[in-house]
Amino acid sequence: MVEHTPRALRSPGPMLEFLRGRDVLVAGWGVSGRSLIEPLRDIGARPVVTDAGEKAMAEAAELGLDTATGAALLEPGALERFALVITSPGWRPGSPVLVSAVTEGIPVWGDVEFAWWVDQARLYGPVRKWLVITGTNGKTTTTQMTHAILRAAGLPSVACGNIGLPILDALRRTPGPQILAVELSSFQLHWAPSVRPEAGVVLNVAEDHLDWHGGLDAYAAAKARALTGRVGVVGLDDAVAAALARKSKARRTVGFRIGVPADGELGVVDGKLLDRAFTKAAILAEVGDISPPGPAGVADALAAAALTRAIDVAPQFVKEGLAEHKVGPHRAAFVRELAGVGFVDDSKATNPHAARSSILAHPQVVWIAGGQLKGAHIDDLVEEVAERLVAAVVFGQDAPIIAAAMARHAPDVPVVELGSGDDAQMSGEPSTASLVAEIDGADAVMARAVRIAAGYAGRGDTVLLAPAAASLDMFADYTHRGRSFVAAVQALDERDIGSQQ
């Protein structure tokens, strides 16, 4: 099966006009799919919805939309009626309907690609400035920081994209924003080859979603599409992101680092964020004012500062915006302290790279991890953080992989593996122990994991949820997983602390 790599278009006008009076297939009835309907109608196109879920198809039909099943669309000649296919970012390039469309010469766009051309065509007012944020980790925090800086500067703006608000919904707002702080995933960038942001940043690139992209090179190439506009920004402390600077197609490329910046960079000097890229030298903020604290938060702040300085936001507003920004839920968020033990919720650490930053922010950690690794390797992480680990509790689909890595690289660290049924198996010390849990559902598994982790913790330790994996094997999403952790932590009392010691 031939997979499709979309190509950029030269002009928005003819294609959007060509859609008038034509059928457009909306592939995927999620948040992004719903956001397509009114703009398509405003252009004069007729949206037709397809989705693998019966409930989704029924909902679309109830709204008066035409629908078509995947099987029907794969019948000979069935796709000929469509002028365009707009796909959900989650659909893989090798999906049969998408491959069939390409084979028949029908263009396939993502919803972000469509939003870009809608904006360029001025369907909802003057063209906006796009500030694009991508990376394996830190996207949402950087997007929120960027928006906070824009608000401090009094600029009409909105945070949108992968952060929750579809770009098309942002464009249709009244009054409309002048600047979009756009968080984009690798999936969205793969399907959006035409986007040319005013400024775009690649924060970092680590193994993630390799099962979707087919490998790290393809994943990095998707991320690099953020570096195609007027200003490209890269995280220089990340080897893969730094290498993308040499391949950047932006008219100007700058970098940021957690260290002394060279000319053309942003960095940190004597506890202050310093801009040497857009001016000779300007102090932007104090490290102590950054939330979340630690290297990852500082890196995100530098990235947000670079994006906003690229559009001439004054240093004073960078300082004000970063000072006003507070970390969102489930992103290294402190939950409580109990008997000298801290509990931190970083459910958003959905890959090993994110978990690394979270663990390294604390000297002694009882680690709660597990879920779907999505093809990412865990050994390097475990080897690097082994000396900080007091114990580990692992659960979910790939718990055995994490437990095996612990046995190889941290053999003296107690590891408790919780299954999806009733049993908890322990490796490490004490090697002969056996724990039996009465587990009913994901929340009960989390409650058991938190109680066991608290039992290994002592004064000065941190019980850290940093799963290093996706959540969908057990939970509705990472926010559900984080809420479950918080609820379990709040249910503890001091008798639970150190009970396994």
Side-chain angles (χ1 to χ4, degrees):
M1 184 176 289
V2 178
E3 295 189 356
H4 171 50
T5 300
R7 296 181 179 180
L9 296 182
R10 293 182 179 179
S11 171
M15 177 53 77
L16 293 187
E17 183 61 33
F18 179 67
L19 297 178
R20 189 176 304 278
R22 300 290 303 278
D23 290 342
V24 174
L25 182 64
V26 175
W29 185 242
V31 174
S32 62
R34 292 179 180 87
S35 74
L36 293 165
I37 303 306
E38 291 308 315
L40 284 169
R41 286 172 168 166
D42 289 343
I43 290 169
R46 295 187 297 266
V48 179
V49 175
T50 186
D51 193 285
E54 292 182 6
K55 182 177 179 181
M57 292 282 276
E59 180 182 311
E62 287 175 3
L63 294 174
L65 294 164
D66 289 340
T67 61
T69 65
L73 292 169
L74 293 175
E75 293 290 330
L79 288 168
E80 292 178 358
R81 60 188 278 210
F82 296 106
L84 174 69
V85 176
I86 307 179
T87 178
S88 158
W91 281 43
R92 297 171 186 257
S95 299
V97 169
L98 304 186
V99 171
S100 294
V102 173
T103 301
E104 297 187 28
I106 300 167
V108 177
W109 294 2
D111 64 296
V112 174
E113 178 84 355
F114 180 69
W116 173 259
W117 290 119
V118 164
D119 190 29
Q120 297 301 301
R122 298 173 172 81
L123 186 63
Y124 299 115
V127 175
R128 281 71 170 185
K129 291 182 179 180
W130 290 41
L131 304 181
V132 167
I133 299 98
T134 194
T136 304
N137 301 300
K139 294 186 295 296
T140 298
T141 298
T142 303
T143 304
Q144 292 171 333
M145 287 176 167
T146 301
H147 189 213
I149 295 168
L150 295 172
R151 288 200 309 268
L155 296 170
S157 60
V158 67
C160 57
N162 195 54
I163 200 170
L165 176 69
I167 301 170
L168 287 165
D169 288 354
L171 294 176
R172 295 175 62 230
R173 284 189 168 187
T174 303
Q178 296 175 6
I179 305 171
L180 307 181
V182 187
E183 177 185 331
L184 293 182
S185 69
S186 59
F187 304 159
Q188 290 170 312
L189 284 163
H190 173 89
W191 294 116
S194 301
V195 172
R196 299 291 182 266
E198 187 71 11
V201 62
V202 178
L203 301 167
N204 44 60
V205 180
E207 288 186 340
D208 199 16
H209 302 301
L210 302 189
D211 50 350
W212 196 96
H213 289 280
L216 184 61
D217 288 346
Y219 174 61
K223 294 291 190 187
R225 285 187 166 164
L227 308 176
T228 56
R230 188 176 67 83
V231 178
V233 182
V234 296
L236 298 174
D237 294 326
D238 182 273
V240 180
L244 293 179
R246 297 189 291 271
K247 303 177 183 178
S248 172
K249 296 180 180 178
R251 278 178 272 169
R252 182 189 179 195
T253 303
V254 303
F256 64 89
R257 66 175 75 245
I258 305 177
V260 178
D263 289 339
E265 298 176 1
L266 292 84
V268 179
V269 177
D270 296 330
K272 303 179 188 299
L273 276 62
L274 188 68
D275 173 13
R276 297 191 64 192
F278 301 99
T279 187
K280 185 175 181 180
I283 295 173
L284 302 176
E286 301 283 340
V287 168
D289 292 337
I290 303 303
S291 173
V298 173
D300 295 343
L302 287 165
L307 291 175
T308 51
R309 292 289 290 142
I311 59 169
D312 298 323
V313 172
Q316 71 186 76
F317 299 124
V318 175
K319 179 180 177 66
E320 290 176 16
L322 291 176
E324 290 172 4
H325 172 266
K326 301 301 177 186
V327 66
H330 318 305
R331 293 172 174 83
F334 181 78
V335 178
R336 72 181 294 197
E337 181 178 322
L338 183 63
V341 174
F343 291 82
V344 174
D345 168 18
D346 198 10
S347 183
K348 188 64 171 65
T350 57
N351 54 67
H353 187 269
R356 172 187 180 274
S357 297
S358 199
I359 294 170
L360 292 178
H362 307 280
Q364 296 184 121
V365 171
V366 181
W367 184 27
I368 299 177
Q372 298 165 308
L373 288 170
K374 302 170 291 182
H377 300 293
I378 197 74
D379 284 72
D380 289 347
L381 168 64
V382 173
E383 185 175 17
E384 182 176 2
V385 304
E387 292 185 357
R388 294 175 183 256
L389 298 181
V390 175
V393 183
V394 297
F395 54 74
Q397 176 180 302
D398 289 332
I401 297 175
I402 301 174
M406 291 291 296
R408 285 190 292 272
H409 303 293
D412 296 329
V413 177
V415 179
V416 180
E417 182 181 338
L418 294 178
S420 58
D422 308 354
D423 297 331
Q425 299 175 335
M426 176 177 286
S427 59
E429 296 293 337
S431 59
T432 59
S434 175
L435 299 174
V436 177
E438 295 180 0
I439 294 173
D440 294 309
D443 292 331
V445 174
M446 180 63 79
R448 183 62 171 157
V450 168
R451 194 171 298 277
I452 292 170
Y456 280 98
R459 185 169 295 276
D461 294 343
T462 300
V463 173
L464 173 66
L465 174 66
S471 59
L472 298 182
D473 58 328
M474 292 175 59
F475 299 89
D477 50 31
Y478 80 85
T479 62
H480 173 202
R481 181 170 60 187
R483 291 194 304 272
S484 183
F485 174 79
V486 171
V489 170
Q490 298 293 3
L492 296 175
D493 61 40
E494 292 193 3
R495 292 171 296 178
D496 295 309
I497 302 300
S499 61
Q500 300 292 335
Q501 296 180 358

